[in-house]
Amino acid sequence: MKYAQIEWNNGTPHSAEYDDVYFSDNSGIDESQHVFLHQNQLPQRWQQKTRFVIAETGFGIGLNFIVTMMTWLRTVTPPACLHFISIEKHPVSPRDVARMAARLPELEPYYDDLLKVYPPPLPGRHLLEFAGGRVKLYLIFDEVEHALEQFEYKVDAWYLDGFAPSRNSAMWNDRVFELIARNTTVGGSFATYTAAGAVRRGLTQAGFVVKKSEGFGRKRAMLSGFIFEQRCYIVDQPWYRLPECSCREQQAVIIGAGLAGLTTAWALVRRGWDIILLDSHADIAAGASGNPAGLLMPRLASNESLDSRFYLNAYVYAIHCLDHLQSATEDQFWFKTGNLSVAHADRLRRMCASHQFTEDFIRYVDSDTTKHIAGVDLNAGALLLVDAGWVNVRLLCESLRLACADALTYRQTTVVDIRFNHGVWHVIDETDETVLTTACLVMANAAQVSQCPALNWLPIESARGQLTLAPRTEASRCLRCAISGKRYITPAYAGQHVVGASYRRDDDATSLSVSEQQANIDAINQMVPALLDEHSELAGRVAFRAVSKDRVPIVGCVPDRAAFEQDYRDLHHGKPARSYPNGRYLPDLYLSTAHGSRGLSSCFMSAELIAALVCGEPTPVEKAVVDYLNPARFIIRQLKRTPGARL
Ligand SMILES: Cc1cc2nc3c(=O)[nH]c(=O)nc-3n(C[C@H](O)[C@H](O)[C@H](O)COP(=O)(O)OP(=O)(O)OC[C@H]3O[C@@H](n4cnc5c(N)ncnc54)[C@H](O)[C@@H]3O)c2cc1C
Ligand SMILES: C[S@@+](CC[C@H](N)C(=O)[O-])C[C@H]1O[C@@H](n2cnc3c(N)ncnc32)[C@H](O)[C@@H]1O
């Protein structure tokens, strides 16, 4: 995405493209309070609420958000949480945001916090947290209509803040008004600075009771309104309509103490939940997440796709989480060295162009520059992921456990089945006994999820991988950043590089293999000739990735397979979606698995998604991505093909 072109006229930001100001040149703060807070009856309406959802069309320079956050923090006590969703098609550059901050000294500390986490201009949803999680900003970089189509939750108050309707019709049309109304809770409101007749009529027709009141500054009038009854709307793809979590106690059981399980535990603990974490091993991180190193890398397609959207948003979010966790411990596990990803130069250039990455986020660098960055001669251009790096995965898991503190209880248990009886999940161990019951259960035990009879339909398998620990050499001493191509290598730490990794399906051998070690070393020496010594001593680690049939992580609520097959059995006839009932899902059962070779990128965001579903919050990824990850996709695809086809 490209940054907005802003002109500063006497210190007031002005859009060249829309020929309009971002806010009043008199006093933006007073305007924001008068129009958006007061006319939505805030802060009164959010008192006594533990959660309040505001959505805004037009994030701009974030003034409304900052003023609202400041008011929330002054008027509401923890643990209440403000969810502020804001849509923006033309992200403002951090430089312009900083320029704004400098003009408003009373807001500067809040703007500083915003700038610390301000995302790169990537399409999709960016989840940013403030004041220890008391305020969550979901910054959606997208066209307004598309972004609103991706909403799946009810908003308490809307701030409608596009440029003037006469210059910015995309923000003020009947389709947009309808989407706003359908995503508003009964008793919810809107406010806007404009009093344009078409806006008043459009919002009235969409279902709001609209009132005109005194405008701000030179504007004589403005509009606000409430919705008092919910209309019925047709649901697209009803099979992906997710149920609300019905748990009353803030307690959950998570099976699997790897990255998927521990990130989910942390996401729920931060919301005040208590977690029991079960694993078949005596300690955490015994599976793939026990690796001494892994690269933090998004999976990138040549063009914009749902897959890249998920991985890029998840990658940016993972960087925030890693920074945060690292700041709490002295044991270094997060090495922000930057990554160079080697592939065909034309492909990498095309990728950068089609994603419109900014130079300070991801860029193509030529052969001379890679040498300068890496400290060794790759003799090739590469993609530079500026904020990427490598992670000691085992230590990361340890830091997640520490971050959960007393809210996490660990128990060694091998789970062989789960059964829903008398309103709760029974967790069954090898003796066929119920070891625990719980209302809320998260399965995060990698490929073994499908060993549970209730989940044996999930198309998931293990892929063996071997890492090599290679001693530092004279040549490799200079390596400064992580490099990836067919294999990857980290800079030396404690005298050793980690080289990864082989990839073998249908191989469950757990011992180190000489040939895989050789293949690892050879692949690195092909990228950088004679970087590593040939060495016969076997040193490394074998582990297993969980990989789904479509190679996409499996995250979300678990469908009731029998009910799906009954409700949607004639889906292959291509009947319109509206004639089907909503999807039936197993009560309060969630999955986070199949993170494949990119768990460092995908696990944090997946955990946040599960926590949002469990707690009834806005999701950190857009609906299309929630559906993309939904375990039910395999059943739906099968039913759309032919009855009886394999999943
Ligand atoms: C060789 C290799 C190299 C990799 N390199 C990278 C990389 O560079 N970058 C990257 O992002 N990712 C990489 N990955 C992938 C990454 O390690 C995984 O995606 C991630 O660790 C998955 O975490 P997980 O929690 O889903 O699985 P795991 O860490 O495997 O955890 C699953 C846990 O479930 C437990 N369990 C299983 N069955 C049961 C049961 N019945 N009852 C109780 N507990 C059970 C296991 O004991 C285990 O602790 C690599 C993986 C491998 C194997
Ligand atoms: C008046 S400014 C918003 C000011 C902002 N609320 C603030 O507090 O700084 C209007 C914003 O709407 C955005 N916008 C315009 N057309 C849009 C569209 N079609 N979709 C999403 N955002 C759009 C503009 O880029 C601009 O940032």
Side-chain angles (χ1 to χ4, degrees):
M1 294 179 99
K2 293 228 163 68
Y3 284 129
Q5 295 299 313
I6 295 189
E7 293 161 353
W8 292 82
N9 298 339
N10 299 324
T12 301
H14 178 272
S15 159
E17 187 173 347
Y18 293 90
D19 187 20
D20 200 358
V21 288
Y22 277 76
F23 32 78
S24 140
D25 19 5
N26 302 338
S27 161
I29 300 177
D30 293 344
E31 179 179 20
S32 177
Q33 269 163 348
H34 174 85
V35 175
F36 297 107
L37 281 143
H38 296 170
Q39 298 301 326
N40 273 306
Q41 297 178 10
L42 304 175
Q44 304 86 301
R45 276 178 58 220
W46 68 38
Q47 303 292 344
Q48 274 86 51
K49 291 249 189 175
T50 51
R51 173 189 313 145
F52 199 80
V53 183
I54 295 177
E56 175 182 53
T57 52
F59 182 75
I61 309 184
L63 184 68
N64 289 337
F65 166 67
I66 297 279
V67 171
T68 306
M69 167 159 73
M70 188 173 72
T71 315
W72 174 269
L73 294 176
R74 285 179 184 165
T75 56
V76 178
T77 48
C81 181
L82 171 67
H83 299 266
F84 194 103
I85 306 158
S86 193
I87 303 167
E88 178 54 63
K89 182 181 177 186
H90 313 286
V92 173
S93 72
R95 226 184 73 218
D96 281 321
V97 176
R99 192 162 173 174
M100 186 69 216
R103 281 195 54 219
L104 300 168
E106 66 269 52
L107 302 186
E108 213 171 345
Y110 299 97
Y111 263 118
D112 285 349
D113 286 348
L114 174 63
L115 281 164
K116 273 184 212 145
V117 289
Y118 197 71
L122 294 172
R125 231 168 254 199
H126 300 276
L127 173 57
L128 315 173
E129 288 190 17
F130 301 89
R134 288 173 65 196
V135 176
K136 289 187 182 179
L137 170 63
Y138 306 72
L139 189 46
I140 306 177
F141 289 153
D142 202 350
E143 165 66 43
V144 67
E145 191 175 318
H146 182 257
L148 290 171
E149 277 163 355
Q150 298 293 317
F151 269 46
E152 265 238 312
Y153 33 83
K154 299 289 181 202
V155 171
D156 295 300
W158 285 91
Y159 297 0
L160 307 188
D161 199 17
F163 288 124
S166 54
R167 294 163 195 193
N168 193 188
S169 55
M171 292 284 257
W172 308 95
N173 57 58
D174 289 347
R175 173 69 180 149
V176 167
F177 299 145
E178 189 214 312
L179 289 166
I180 287 171
R182 73 188 280 173
N183 290 302
T184 306
T185 185
V186 174
S189 62
F190 83 89
T192 176
Y193 65 88
T194 179
V199 173
R200 182 169 48 78
R201 287 188 295 279
L203 285 162
T204 307
Q205 202 180 7
F208 284 95
V209 175
V210 180
K211 143 181 137 184
K212 215 176 194 178
S213 43
E214 197 185 324
F216 180 81
R218 276 176 285 166
K219 295 199 181 79
R220 270 195 300 148
M222 58 161 286
L223 301 175
S224 60
F226 280 83
I227 271 197
F228 296 109
E229 60 189 45
Q230 191 69 71
R231 293 185 181 166
C232 279
Y233 298 99
I234 291 160
V235 181
D236 243 7
Q237 307 199 98
W239 37 89
Y240 289 145
R241 178 89 188 204
L242 299 178
E244 280 178 19
C245 177
S246 57
C247 303
R248 293 190 198 291
E249 309 286 321
Q250 292 194 320
Q251 289 170 350
V253 170
I254 298 177
I255 301 170
L259 207 48
L262 281 155
T263 49
T264 308
W266 186 48
L268 287 168
V269 166
R270 281 184 290 144
R271 288 163 170 83
W273 284 55
D274 287 316
I275 303 297
I276 297 178
L277 183 61
L278 304 180
D279 197 287
S280 45
H281 289 86
D283 203 356
I284 63 167
S289 309
N291 284 347
L295 263 48
L296 178 71
M297 300 261 292
R299 183 161 70 190
L300 284 176
S302 299
N303 299 311
E304 248 274 278
S305 65
L306 274 182
D307 200 71
S308 312
R309 194 170 270 218
F310 168 65
Y311 274 103
L312 279 165
N313 291 168
Y315 162 73
V316 173
Y317 184 63
I319 292 173
H320 288 312
C321 294
L322 289 168
D323 287 347
H324 177 85
L325 289 162
Q326 183 64 82
S327 68
T329 166
E330 300 214 321
D331 285 338
Q332 189 174 3
F333 58 81
W334 170 215
F335 300 82
K336 226 171 167 174
T337 57
N339 281 355
L340 284 170
S341 174
V342 182
H344 202 278
D346 286 347
R347 184 168 167 255
L348 297 179
R349 282 206 197 90
R350 268 203 312 277
M351 195 183 274
C352 288
S354 82
H355 286 279
Q356 297 188 337
F357 294 134
T358 49
E359 294 258 302
D360 58 354
F361 178 60
I362 296 179
R363 66 176 183 273
Y364 177 76
V365 286
D366 63 17
S367 179
D368 285 346
T369 317
T370 56
K371 188 173 173 188
H372 175 70
I373 294 170
V376 298
D377 195 356
L378 282 164
N379 204 14
L383 207 59
L384 172 65
L385 293 99
V386 178
D387 294 321
W390 66 276
V391 176
N392 181 322
V393 197
R394 193 186 59 72
L395 287 183
L396 165 62
C397 287
E398 198 52 60
S399 85
L400 284 160
R401 170 160 59 183
L402 276 176
C404 292
D406 294 346
L408 181 81
T409 307
Y410 184 76
R411 280 203 214 165
Q412 183 177 7
T413 305
T414 299
V415 178
V416 298
D417 199 4
I418 52 166
R419 292 173 203 146
F420 193 71
N421 261 330
H422 302 297
V424 284
W425 286 102
H426 291 243
V427 177
I428 314 289
D429 74 357
E430 290 155 310
T431 62
D432 204 30
E433 292 294 325
T434 295
V435 281
L436 273 174
T437 59
T438 177
C440 183
L441 180 61
V442 182
M443 304 283 287
N445 50 328
Q448 284 77 6
V449 286
S450 63
Q451 285 173 6
C452 264
L455 296 170
N456 62 6
W457 53 270
L458 276 171
I460 184 167
E461 60 179 22
S462 286
R464 184 193 130 98
Q466 181 170 319
L467 294 173
T468 298
L469 295 175
R472 184 175 58 198
T473 64
E474 236 358 83
S476 73
R477 185 177 284 277
C478 313
L479 180 61
R480 282 194 289 265
C481 71
I483 302 177
S484 65
K486 286 194 183 119
R487 298 284 205 273
Y488 59 81
I489 180 167
T490 65
Y493 188 73
Q496 284 190 314
H497 300 277
V498 179
V499 179
S502 56
Y503 190 101
R504 292 175 64 83
R505 294 163 72 178
D506 301 322
D507 183 349
D508 56 7
T510 53
S511 55
L512 289 167
S513 132
V514 178
S515 61
E516 283 171 58
Q517 169 151 314
Q518 194 59 48
N520 282 348
I521 303 275
D522 287 351
I524 297 300
N525 283 342
Q526 257 171 32
M527 274 200 290
V528 188
L531 188 72
L532 300 176
D533 288 343
E534 305 288 322
H535 66 121
S536 50
E537 198 182 315
L538 273 175
R541 185 170 191 269
V542 171
F544 296 86
R545 310 162 179 94
V547 185
S548 68
K549 187 176 177 184
D550 58 9
R551 301 184 156 256
V552 175
I554 302 177
V555 183
C557 303
V558 181
D560 178 337
R561 185 184 181 192
F564 262 59
E565 288 181 342
Q566 187 187 336
D567 292 346
Y568 308 126
R569 62 185 175 278
D570 49 3
L571 208 55
H572 61 283
H573 289 316
K575 273 202 326 195
R578 73 190 61 160
S579 53
Y580 291 101
N582 287 345
R584 286 192 272 167
Y585 286 79
L586 298 176
D588 307 323
L589 177 65
Y590 302 86
L591 270 170
S592 176
T593 183
H595 293 285
S597 303
R598 291 282 192 273
L600 284 165
S601 290
S602 58
C603 281
F604 285 102
M605 186 63 102
S606 302
E608 202 50 38
L609 171 58
I610 290 176
L613 295 173
V614 167
C615 298
E617 296 173 1
T619 53
V621 288
E622 59 206 290
K623 183 172 174 348
V625 175
V626 179
D627 298 349
Y628 186 63
L629 304 174
N630 189 327
R633 66 187 187 263
F634 300 108
I635 304 176
I636 291 298
R637 276 180 208 152
Q638 179 216 21
L639 291 168
K640 278 188 178 171
R641 282 198 303 266
T642 38
R646 277 163 55 88
L647 281 183

